[in-house]
């Protein structure tokens, strides 16, 4: 019996490693352990083994079965592994490029806007928004820009015909003309009219001036303004904020200076210069970067705040100008052409 | 405005360098746009010399050794020179040992490559006369040898080009700037002495009109009337007889030339000089050319014409103010004189006008005629009528001094304001409170006084400190309120000295605006899905707009005063810009396929425009070949992204009926695009294939899929209700599939909804229909013409048990019977 078992095992050991597929394996397996299999035949002969030899024969058979099973398992594992490998195909070339597009990139103006908003968030400012189509009240009257002011001249500001109706841009006074806002300061007015101080907002957005488009001007451009209204807000607080903004943005070596200036909606008013020699393509010691000042009492009066109780400051700057400075871009038109070779460079 | 530092020195001795003055002007609040030097600075030991001989330097190729004659006193010097542009016989500036050239460069006797040199021959730059370093300054008119160079060259000066802010018309003059600088440097301001008795005797702002015929002794007959007093609050006219028109003396010519004016003659130059000294525009008439001896300040008649000094003829209308004689306009008031009323070489008698015109009137006329001048510039910004008599007197002084003649007849004054005293109450405590740092009382006082803001009363209250009453001079119309004086004090204290501080940051007062959050979420989604964010201008051309909205809608979006033809309309969609971006990249050979933008669009609805927040994308064919091909974009990819954008706004695309775009529709391809929502709902979505013709006409290659979602900002304001968790079953589902043959035009969503309805009915309350989802759509053989097959998978589940086949089969059977009975669907076996 042992010989018969050994012969079966030897045969299996020779046959199974050569098998290449699952059907071959199943057929081969049937030849050994199927109902008519060779090992089955040996087992069937167990009945004829004398009783006293049965334990030894049983051990022999069990051992042979285990050894055969090991051969089968190994063979099956090998065949399945080969089949899986065949399904997977050849190994990948990790250096081939992905055929998928991407990654997508943010526009540089978005990057700069969001960075500024994060910087302002850190010191308690939230981001406000308002319509780009405005009325004369929000864009001019409330900001101490009287009707005869040159900024309101149709030479400088885009207007809509008197017949134009904007369903979701409310007019403060009947008959006001609609226009494209010339600055995002109108958002300050809308915010202040919504509720009482304290207010700390930053309002980035588009603004429009009736101007020739060239390397540094665009009829449609982006501004970012901030407004803080509270009790006892001082000129020194304003300077501290501007210092914070630019040292956060450009590093602690950045110097800021205020030059007295004139804006109708702030008093006193300043232009802000920054000294950042470490930036590329900067060949002047001081670069003008924005305007600011203490909110003019007349602005508070126009939104119903008591100027004796509340004080505040406002600061505004052009986002394109800032982006041009940060990224050393020398033509504003690149921001609006959207050449992917340009857009891809910033994030 | 151009300011000459030499000229300033007439009014204040600053004892400061040009750099220090530039800095001061800047920090007084006036931007210095340019600094130019003219003429030569004071140079000692620099004289005129003549090159007698020029030999090559024995030890240097590029140097010459010259013998230079500097006149009898100096003799002949040996000078080594590197310049090449001169020849023997030229006269040149010679700096002798001891001379100090600009830049603190001291000339010494020295050895240059072994050769003794006794001085230096100079270029323009070396003399501090500009940047020209091309070679020696050749003195072509051959001045006398040995003369000090300052006798030969124009005097040195520095010209500042200063931008004056609109609130400070008082600084549109040398005297105005001198006043500011005197305050900054703590120096005294010297007003020019005014001699002329007649005007000096005028009551300040005297309101009495002194028109009428002059005394018989006067050879000049003059009458003055103002028929539009609102446009001309003050008119002063004086006749001067017997002037001699001649060129101005050099000092006056130099003053004008230094700031870029061309000298004309003594009378005209005086009017310009006084304008630049005091900011008061003046005009001089030839009295003989004033018809009827009359000056009438009136509105022009419609259609009247005048040819101005610049040679242009203007047609006037009745909104424009003119200064006319008895027959016709002689001057466009406050802006420019006519060609034939001015002072010329033959003029003997003149009439000097010193008037104040209304800023708005001058601006309106200047704009509509396209005509401006130094005079109109000042009137538009406001001229101080209370200082006008003094300016007139100053001009009379100078005219009589330079052109001779004498004042003939009375001084005609029409209008004028009575003097008023404006005062502002101010406390130093208020100043400190607004500044947030300390400036001593004494410094505040000094600052105010230095600007002639006199403290006329001081009171001290126990506990609150002093309070001041500050008197405001007539030229400071910009000062009204205490805060205005805070600015004056800060300006003179110096804004550079604002001490650093800490930002007080007491936490966020509010949340970011919902529109901001939507924009951010939409951009993050799109960029995260491999779209490149673009930014396009909001203003588009009429032609482009017409492709995307109806004619009526386009009309509503039009600006009334566009600047450029291609930027005349508000954009009704972001997609037009994105298509243009695809085109630009393609035309530049840059592969571009996935672009997006987030921004405002303007949607016309029932005759009104609505400003909407919006996000959009396009997916084009970038034409690039790839080693591994991907399935191209299709309608359903666009739908997927639009649904995600809607979700950024808290909107579910399924909340509104979804219609395929039925016929030709702006921008979109019929049968391959869809729309959902409208302005009544407060949002809309459009997506699918862009109209092939439009895309092709734009020059964009390949098909473009796109999508846009827009929402009213106010629709974003409503906070979504907080969601509640709903329980779900932990028992296994039971699945059944069903294929329905339906009309080919039947939307899958409608079939699915009918199926779900029937399934719920069949299940009753026994268990739940969890989902119905379409998994196959088939058209073709085996189906009747005009029909399609939709296969759905239904998922059933019970909350409390594992479903048995029997109960599910029973329900599924009821469902099929119901469908056959109540719909036109066939069940495909």
């Amino acid at each position: 019996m042992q010989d018969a078992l050994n012969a079966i095992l030897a045969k299996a050991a020779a046959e199974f490693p050569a098998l290449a597929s699952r059907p071959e394996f199943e057929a081969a397996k049937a030849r050994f352990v199927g109902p008519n299999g060779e090992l089955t035949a040996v087992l069937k002969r167990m009945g004829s083994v004398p009783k006293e030899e049965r334990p030894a024969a049983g051990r022999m058979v069990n051992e042979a079965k285990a050894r055969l099973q090991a051969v089968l398992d190994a063979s099956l594992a090998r065949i399945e592994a080969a089949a899986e490998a065949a399904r997977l195909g050849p190994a990948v070339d990790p250096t081939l490029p992905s055929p998928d597009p991407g990654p997508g990139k943010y526009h540089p103006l978005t990057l700069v806007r969001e960075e500024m908003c994060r910087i302002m968030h850190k010191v308690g400012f939230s981001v406000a928004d308002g319509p780009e189509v405005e009325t004369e009240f929000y864009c001019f009257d409330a900001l101490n820009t009287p009707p005869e002011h040159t900024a309101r001249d149709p030479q400088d500001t885009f207007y809509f015909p008197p017949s134009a109706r904007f369903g979701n841009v409310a007019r403060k006074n009947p008959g006001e003309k609609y226009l494209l806002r010339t600055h995002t300061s109108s958002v300050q007015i809308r915010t202040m009219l919504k509720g009482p101080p304290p207010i700390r907002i930053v309002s980035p957005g588009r603004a429009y001036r009736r101007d020739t488009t060239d390397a540094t001007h665009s009829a449609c451009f982006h501004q970012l303004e901030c407004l803080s209204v509270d009790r006892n807000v001082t000129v020194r607080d304003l300077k501290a904020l501007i210092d914070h903004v630019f040292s956060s943005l450009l590093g602690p070596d950045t110097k800021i200076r205020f030059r007295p200036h004139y804006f109708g909606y702030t008093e006193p008013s300043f232009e802000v210069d920054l000294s950042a020699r470490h930036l590329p393509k900067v060949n002047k010691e001081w670069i003008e970067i924005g305007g600011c000042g203490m909110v003019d009492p007349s602005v508070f009066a126009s939104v119903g705040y008591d100027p004796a109780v509340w004080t505040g400051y406002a600061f505004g700057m052009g986002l394109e100008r800032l982006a041009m400075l940060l990224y050393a871009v020398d033509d504003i038109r690149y921001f609006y052409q959207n050449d992917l070779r340009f857009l891809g460079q910033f994030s | 405005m151009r300011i000459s530092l030499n000229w300033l020195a007439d009014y204040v001795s600053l004892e400061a360098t040009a750099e220090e003055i530039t800095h001061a002007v800047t920090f007084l609040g006036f931007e210095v746009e340019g600094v130019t030097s003219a003429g030569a600075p004071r140079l000692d030991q620099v004289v005129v010399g003549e090159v007698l001989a020029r030999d090559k330097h024995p030890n240097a190729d590029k140097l010459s050794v010259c013998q230079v004659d500097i006149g009898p006193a100096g003799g002949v010097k040996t000078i080594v020179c590197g310049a090449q542009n001169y020849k023997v016989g030229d006269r040149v500036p010679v700096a002798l040992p001891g001379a100090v050239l600009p830049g603190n460069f001291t000339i010494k006797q020295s050895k240059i490559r072994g050769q003794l040199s006794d001085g230096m021959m100079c270029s323009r730059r070396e003399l501090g006369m500009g940047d020209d370093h091309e070679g020696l300054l050749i003195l072509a008119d051959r001045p006398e040898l040995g003369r000090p160079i300052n006798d030969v060259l124009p005097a040195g000066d520095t010209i500042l080009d200063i931008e004056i802010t609109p609130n400070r018309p008082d600084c549109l003059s040398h005297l105005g700037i001198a006043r500011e600088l005197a305050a900054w440097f703590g120096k005294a301001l010297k007003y020019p002495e005014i001699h002329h008795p007649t005007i000096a005797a005028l009551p300040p702002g005297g309101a009495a009109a002194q028109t009428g015929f002059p005394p018989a002794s006067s050879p000049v007959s003059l009458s003055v009337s103002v028929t539009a007093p609102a446009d001309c609050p003050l008119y002063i006219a004086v006749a001067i007889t017997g002037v001699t028109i001649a060129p101005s003396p050099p000092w006056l010519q130099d003053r004008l030339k230094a700031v870029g004016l061309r000298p004309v003659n003594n009378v005209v130059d005086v009017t310009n000089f006084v304008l630049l000294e005091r900011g008061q525009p003046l005009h001089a008439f030839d009295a003989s050319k004033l018809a009827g001896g009359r000056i009438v300040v009136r509105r022009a008649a419609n259609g009247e014409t005048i040819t101005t000094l610049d040679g242009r003829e203007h047609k006037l209308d009745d909104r424009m103010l003119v200064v006319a004689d008895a027959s016709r306009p002689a001057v466009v008031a406050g802006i420019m004189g006519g060609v034939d009323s001015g002072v010329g070489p033959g003029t003997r008698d003149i009439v000097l006008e010193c008037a104040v015109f209304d800023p708005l009137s001058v601006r309106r006329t200047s704009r509509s005629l396209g005509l401006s001048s130094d005079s109109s510039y000042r009137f538009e910004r406001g001229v101080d009528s209370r200082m006008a008599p003094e300016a007139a007197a100053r001009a009379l002084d100078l005219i009589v001094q330079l052109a001779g003649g004498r004042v003939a007849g009375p001084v005609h004054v029409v209008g004028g304001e009575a003097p008023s005293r404006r005062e502002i109450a101010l406390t130093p405590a208020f100043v400190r409170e607004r500044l947030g740092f300390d400036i001593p009382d004494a410094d505040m006082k000094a600052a105010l006084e230095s600007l002639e803001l006199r403290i006329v009363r001081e009171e001290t209250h126990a506990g609150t400190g002093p309070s001041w009453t500050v008197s405001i001079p007539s030229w400071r119309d910009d000062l009204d309120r205490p805060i205005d004086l805070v600015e004056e004090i800060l300006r003179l204290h110096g804004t550079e000295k604002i001490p650093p501080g800490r930002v007080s940051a007491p936490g966020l007062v509010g949340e970011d605006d919902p529109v901001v959050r939507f924009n951010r979420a939409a951009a993050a989604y799109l960029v995260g899905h491999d779209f490149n964010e673009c930014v396009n201008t909001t203003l588009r051309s009429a032609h482009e707009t017409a492709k995307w909205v109806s004619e009526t809608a386009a009309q509503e979006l039009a600006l009334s005063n566009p600047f450029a033809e291609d930027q005349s309309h508000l954009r009704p969609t972001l997609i037009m810009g994105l298509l243009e971006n695809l085109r630009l990249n393609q035309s530049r050979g840059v592969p571009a396929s996935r672009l997006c933008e987030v921004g405002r669009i303007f949607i016309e609805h029932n005759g009104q425009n609505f400003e909407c927040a919006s996000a959009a994308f396009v997916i084009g064919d970038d034409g690039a070949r790839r080693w591994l091909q991907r399935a191209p974009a299709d309608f359903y990819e666009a739908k997927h992204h639009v649904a995600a954008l809607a979700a950024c706004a808290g909107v579910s695309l399924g909340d509104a009926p979804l219609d395929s775009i039925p016929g030709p529709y702006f921008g979109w391809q019929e049968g391959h695009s869809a729309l959902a929502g409208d302005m009544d709902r407060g949002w809309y979505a459009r997506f699918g294939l862009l109209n092939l013709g439009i895309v092709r006409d734009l020059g964009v290659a390949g098909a473009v899929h796109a999508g846009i979602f827009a929402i009213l900002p106010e629709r974003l304001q409503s906070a979504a209700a907080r969601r509640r968790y709903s329980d779900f079953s932990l028992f296994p589902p039971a699945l059944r599939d069903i294929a329905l043959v339906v009309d080919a035009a039947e939307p899958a969503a409608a079939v699915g909804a009918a199926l779900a309805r029937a399934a719920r009915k069949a299940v009753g309350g026994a268990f739940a229909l969890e989902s119905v989802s379409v998994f196959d759509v088939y058209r073709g053989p085996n189906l009747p013409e005009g029909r399609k097959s939709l296969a759905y998978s239904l998922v059933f589940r019970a909350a409390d048990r594992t479903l048995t086949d029997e109960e599910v089969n029973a329900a599924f059977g009821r469902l099929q019977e119901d469908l056959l009975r109540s719909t036109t669907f066939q069940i495909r076996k």
Side-chain angles (χ1 to χ4, degrees):
Chain A
M1 184 174 230
Q2 184 67 58
D3 292 347
L5 289 170
N6 283 346
I8 288 169
L9 284 172
K11 195 175 166 197
E15 243 177 67
F16 278 94
L19 297 179
S21 71
R22 186 79 189 238
E24 281 175 25
F25 170 79
E26 294 299 342
K29 183 180 169 189
R31 284 200 299 281
F32 287 92
V33 294
N36 302 312
E38 292 179 41
L39 184 64
T40 317
V42 176
L43 295 181
K44 281 178 185 160
R45 292 207 302 269
M46 278 294 282
S48 59
V49 175
K51 197 174 179 181
E52 61 282 6
E53 289 176 25
R54 276 189 195 163
R59 274 196 302 279
M60 259 187 278
V61 167
N62 280 341
E63 194 185 320
K65 269 169 94 176
R67 285 169 62 191
L68 181 62
Q69 190 59 45
V71 170
L72 289 178
D73 288 348
S75 172
L76 185 59
R78 183 183 52 75
I79 287 167
E80 289 198 329
E84 231 162 32
R87 272 198 307 278
L88 285 176
V92 296
D93 174 354
T95 66
L96 276 170
S98 165
D100 296 316
K105 304 267 190 171
Y106 281 106
H107 194 278
L109 291 175
T110 302
L111 294 172
V112 173
R113 182 193 72 209
E114 288 301 308
E115 185 169 1
M116 285 295 291
C117 288
R118 284 196 299 276
I119 288 170
M120 298 303 293
H121 254 153
K122 284 199 291 188
V123 284
F125 286 72
S126 49
V127 187
D129 193 74
E132 291 174 14
V133 170
E134 267 298 359
T135 75
E136 292 174 296
F137 174 80
Y138 296 99
C139 196
F140 295 130
D141 296 335
L143 286 157
N144 197 26
T145 311
E148 65 277 7
H149 196 281
T150 48
R152 298 177 69 150
D153 197 287
Q155 281 205 22
D156 299 326
T157 298
F158 289 116
Y159 285 94
F160 292 93
S163 61
R165 297 278 171 276
F166 285 83
N168 61 341
V169 182
R171 283 193 271 214
K172 177 84 173 170
N173 306 310
E176 272 186 90
K177 273 186 277 184
Y178 284 109
L179 49 87
L180 282 172
R181 66 181 179 194
T182 55
H183 44 202
T184 52
S185 314
S186 50
V187 179
Q188 303 181 359
I189 300 303
R190 288 184 178 274
T191 305
M192 287 192 281
L193 283 171
K194 259 186 239 165
I199 283 178
R200 278 185 291 280
I201 54 159
V202 52
S203 54
R206 290 185 180 214
Y208 303 85
R209 301 227 173 126
R210 208 168 164 278
D211 206 348
T212 323
T213 298
D214 60 23
T216 53
H217 295 87
S218 174
C220 165
F221 59 101
H222 292 74
Q223 271 196 337
L224 182 138
E225 294 207 339
C226 64
L227 170 74
S228 171
V229 183
D230 211 330
R231 293 173 203 274
N232 305 318
V233 179
T234 67
V235 171
R236 188 180 191 172
D237 293 331
L238 169 59
K239 180 69 167 30
L241 177 90
I242 307 286
D243 283 340
H244 159 76
V245 167
F246 288 100
S247 61
S248 303
L249 194 65
L250 303 169
D253 294 340
T254 309
K255 286 202 293 273
I256 287 298
R257 72 178 191 185
F258 280 11
R259 277 183 290 111
H261 197 67
Y262 170 73
F263 303 113
Y265 30 90
T266 48
E267 180 76 20
S269 305
F270 312 97
E271 286 198 312
V272 180
D273 289 348
L274 77 91
S275 165
R277 284 240 177 226
H278 52 288
L279 293 178
K281 289 196 197 173
V282 171
N283 45 21
K284 287 201 291 190
E285 178 164 13
W286 294 100
I287 305 163
E288 184 187 324
I289 193 68
C292 67
M294 306 304 292
V295 179
D296 194 282
S298 65
V299 174
F300 283 151
S302 69
V303 298
Y305 288 3
D306 182 354
V309 177
W310 304 107
T311 48
Y313 58 72
F315 164 62
M317 65 190 302
L319 270 186
E320 281 87 350
R321 184 164 169 69
L322 182 61
M324 288 169 87
L325 194 67
L326 288 178
Y327 298 126
V329 174
D330 44 23
D331 193 323
I332 199 171
R333 287 167 291 202
Y334 289 145
F335 292 113
Y336 293 93
Q337 287 175 350
N338 301 300
D339 188 315
L340 290 183
R341 291 167 299 173
F342 177 77
L343 296 183
Q345 294 185 30
F346 304 101
S347 48
Chain B
M1 128 146 244
R2 290 203 227 190
I3 294 288
S4 149
L5 297 193
N6 284 357
W7 192 338
L8 279 185
D10 291 353
Y11 316 117
V12 60
S13 169
L14 295 174
E15 292 162 34
T17 64
E19 289 76 36
E20 287 163 344
I21 292 169
T22 304
H23 180 262
V25 168
T26 304
F27 283 89
L28 282 162
F30 307 102
E31 199 168 331
V32 177
E33 293 180 322
V35 180
T36 45
S37 323
R42 190 73 236 159
L43 296 164
D44 292 328
Q45 295 294 312
V46 184
V47 299
V48 177
E50 181 173 321
V51 181
L52 299 179
R54 175 180 175 179
D55 298 306
K56 218 177 94 28
H57 192 293
N59 306 322
D61 285 348
K62 291 190 175 159
L63 299 180
S64 307
V65 180
C66 301
Q67 302 305 314
V68 184
D69 183 1
I70 56 164
V76 176
K77 302 283 184 189
T78 301
I79 294 175
V80 176
C81 182
Q84 305 296 334
N85 70 323
Y86 64 100
K87 56 185 190 305
V88 170
D90 281 344
R91 293 201 173 174
V92 296
V94 180
L96 300 171
V100 180
L101 298 185
N104 248 344
F105 175 41
T106 307
I107 302 297
K108 290 184 276 232
Q109 194 184 57
S110 58
K111 266 194 176 161
I112 298 174
R113 296 271 183 119
Q115 182 66 52
L116 198 69
S117 183
D118 244 350
M120 185 174 90
M121 298 191 279
C122 304
S123 69
R124 275 184 174 276
R125 192 168 74 180
E126 284 155 350
L127 296 176
M129 294 178 67
D131 283 338
D132 185 3
H133 198 48
E134 285 305 290
L136 301 185
L137 170 59
I138 310 291
L139 303 167
D141 43 2
R142 303 185 62 77
E144 190 189 331
L145 293 180
R147 276 186 73 182
I149 202 72
N150 284 118
D151 292 358
V152 172
L153 298 176
D157 195 0
T158 301
I159 310 300
L160 306 185
D161 196 354
I162 302 177
E163 193 195 317
I164 307 294
T165 49
N167 60 326
R168 294 302 303 276
D170 63 303
C171 286
L172 288 169
S173 65
H174 279 76
L175 206 46
I177 293 292
R179 187 186 292 123
E180 293 276 314
L181 286 168
W184 179 274
F185 287 104
K187 303 289 182 187
L189 185 65
K190 296 172 292 198
Y191 284 97
E193 266 180 64
I194 291 178
H195 305 287
H196 201 279
T198 318
I199 306 252
L202 263 185
Q210 301 185 25
T211 54
F213 292 102
S217 64
S218 166
V220 183
S221 127
L222 179 65
S223 76
V224 176
S225 63
V226 176
T227 65
D231 295 343
C232 175
L234 173 65
Y235 198 91
I236 301 174
V238 192
I240 304 163
T241 182
V243 296
T244 307
I245 302 300
S248 298
W251 70 264
L252 178 51
Q253 295 205 17
D254 284 351
R255 286 278 178 268
L256 298 180
K257 280 196 271 188
V259 295
L261 256 65
R262 191 174 48 86
V264 180
N265 59 47
N266 42 14
V267 171
V268 172
D269 290 354
V270 166
T271 61
N272 284 330
F273 177 84
V274 173
L275 176 143
L276 294 170
E277 179 180 88
R278 298 167 178 265
Q280 169 67 56
L282 301 167
H283 186 75
F285 297 92
D286 182 328
S288 70
K289 294 178 188 164
L290 286 172
R294 291 183 62 189
I295 284 178
V296 186
V297 183
R298 59 165 170 89
R299 293 286 188 97
N302 281 322
E304 251 182 325
T305 59
I306 185 171
T307 302
T308 43
L309 279 172
D310 56 357
R312 289 166 58 199
E313 183 179 79
H314 302 278
K315 207 169 152 194
L316 306 173
D317 66 42
D318 62 6
R319 285 157 57 89
M320 300 171 179
L321 191 71
V322 295
V323 180
D325 59 16
S327 59
R328 61 193 174 141
V331 175
V332 183
I335 304 177
M336 198 177 282
V339 272
D340 31 50
S341 66
V343 172
T347 300
R348 288 290 299 155
D349 303 326
I350 63 170
V351 173
L352 178 72
E353 163 197 296
C354 175
V356 175
F357 298 107
D358 175 61
L360 289 181
S361 159
V362 172
R363 168 141 56 98
R364 203 166 48 224
T365 305
S366 165
R367 288 236 168 160
S368 51
L369 296 180
L371 187 67
S372 62
S373 62
D374 282 344
S375 165
S376 66
Y377 187 74
R378 283 165 179 78
F379 282 126
E380 283 182 32
R381 284 156 181 249
V383 167
D384 178 11
S385 64
R386 293 172 205 89
M387 297 304 287
E390 201 176 303
R394 172 75 164 149
L396 280 184
D397 272 359
L398 289 169
I399 289 171
V400 171
Q401 181 195 327
L402 302 179
R406 61 184 172 81
V407 172
V411 174
H412 300 261
V413 180
V414 181
E417 281 176 64
S420 67
R421 213 160 84 167
R422 283 187 303 133
E423 292 178 342
I424 299 175
L426 182 73
T427 66
F430 176 80
V431 178
R432 283 185 197 105
E433 195 181 290
R434 291 303 146 100
L435 292 180
F437 59 93
D438 187 38
I439 297 176
D441 286 9
D443 292 5
M444 292 192 200
K445 263 187 182 169
L448 293 172
E449 293 281 351
S450 70
L451 289 168
E452 299 181 38
L453 307 168
R454 310 265 180 242
I455 295 175
V456 290
R457 271 193 306 284
E458 172 160 1
E459 290 164 48
T460 305
H461 307 284
T464 57
S467 79
W468 299 331
T469 303
V470 184
S471 156
I472 309 302
S474 64
W475 57 82
R476 291 304 302 271
D477 237 7
D478 59 315
L479 304 179
D480 270 336
R481 308 157 300 178
I483 190 72
D484 299 329
L485 296 180
V486 172
E487 173 162 43
E488 296 306 290
I489 290 167
L490 178 56
R491 274 195 319 132
L492 285 184
H493 173 74
T495 49
E496 285 181 302
K497 291 191 234 158
I498 299 169
R502 290 176 61 137
V503 190
S504 66
L508 286 172
V509 175
E511 270 218 82
D512 288 353
D513 189 278
V515 174
V516 172
R517 285 181 279 153
F518 166 74
N519 289 345
R520 230 178 241 152
Y525 172 83
L526 289 166
V527 170
H529 286 79
D530 301 325
F531 289 94
N532 288 289
E533 191 192 13
C534 298
V535 169
N536 284 290
T537 170
T538 312
L539 297 173
R540 320 297 306 190
S541 73
H543 173 74
E544 205 183 2
T545 310
K547 289 183 178 164
W548 290 90
V549 292
S550 71
E551 208 175 301
T552 28
Q555 253 167 24
E556 294 294 324
L557 296 167
L559 290 168
S560 71
N561 60 337
F563 186 72
E565 210 178 305
D566 61 347
Q567 301 199 347
S568 56
H569 287 66
L570 290 176
R571 60 183 176 186
T573 177
L574 298 172
I575 291 172
M576 45 169 61
L578 293 172
L579 271 180
E580 173 55 27
N581 304 147
L582 273 183
R583 191 204 58 77
L584 177 124
N585 279 287
Q586 282 185 357
S587 74
R588 293 181 176 179
V590 179
S593 137
R594 297 164 76 89
L595 305 178
C596 69
E597 182 168 2
V598 174
R600 297 302 178 102
I601 63 167
F602 301 83
I603 298 172
E604 187 271 344
H605 181 62
N606 293 341
Q608 290 196 314
N609 291 322
F610 289 87
E611 182 171 338
C612 293
S614 163
F617 59 88
V618 294
I619 309 172
D621 178 2
D622 66 7
R625 289 181 298 170
R626 293 185 170 77
W627 67 273
L628 181 61
Q629 219 42 54
R630 293 291 201 223
D634 59 19
F635 173 87
Y636 296 100
E637 180 179 358
K639 181 177 179 181
H640 173 74
H641 296 314
V642 164
L645 295 176
C648 292
V651 169
S652 166
L653 206 54
D655 288 351
L658 199 57
D659 293 317
S660 65
I661 289 175
Y665 192 86
F666 304 102
W668 301 94
Q669 181 68 31
E670 176 182 358
H672 296 270
S673 52
L675 48 83
D678 53 41
M679 282 303 108
D680 291 332
R681 288 175 190 273
W683 61 268
Y684 89 21
R686 307 263 184 276
F687 52 94
L689 184 63
L690 291 182
N691 185 288
L692 297 174
I694 287 183
V695 170
R696 198 167 42 236
D697 290 350
L698 260 177
V700 175
V704 180
H705 284 87
I708 180 164
F709 175 81
I711 186 163
L712 294 174
E714 50 273 30
R715 178 80 163 57
L716 289 165
Q717 311 285 339
S718 47
R722 194 172 295 287
R723 301 297 181 101
R724 296 268 175 197
Y725 151 82
S726 53
D727 204 5
F728 51 88
S729 166
L730 298 175
F731 292 92
L735 277 62
R736 293 293 182 276
D737 291 348
I738 186 169
L740 300 170
V741 177
V742 303
D743 194 272
E746 193 74 39
V751 176
L755 179 59
R757 233 175 2 254
R760 285 202 186 89
K761 206 165 124 197
V763 167
F767 51 95
L769 170 73
E770 197 168 89
S771 69
V772 176
S773 51
V774 63
F775 69 88
D776 188 47
V777 179
Y778 176 77
R779 278 178 227 236
N782 311 329
L783 286 181
E785 187 67 21
R787 308 280 280 175
K788 67 181 172 188
S789 159
L790 298 170
Y792 290 86
S793 163
L794 298 115
V795 179
F796 301 100
R797 208 190 292 258
D800 54 353
R801 65 188 191 282
T802 300
L803 289 171
T804 63
D805 266 356
E806 290 73 31
E807 56 184 333
V808 175
N809 286 344
F812 196 54
R814 285 194 298 277
L815 157 65
Q816 297 183 50
E817 279 164 31
D818 185 20
L819 279 178
L820 290 175
R821 204 170 45 242
S822 63
T823 69
T824 59
F825 307 157
Q826 291 166 280
I827 296 169
R828 195 166 171 225
K829 304 287 179 191

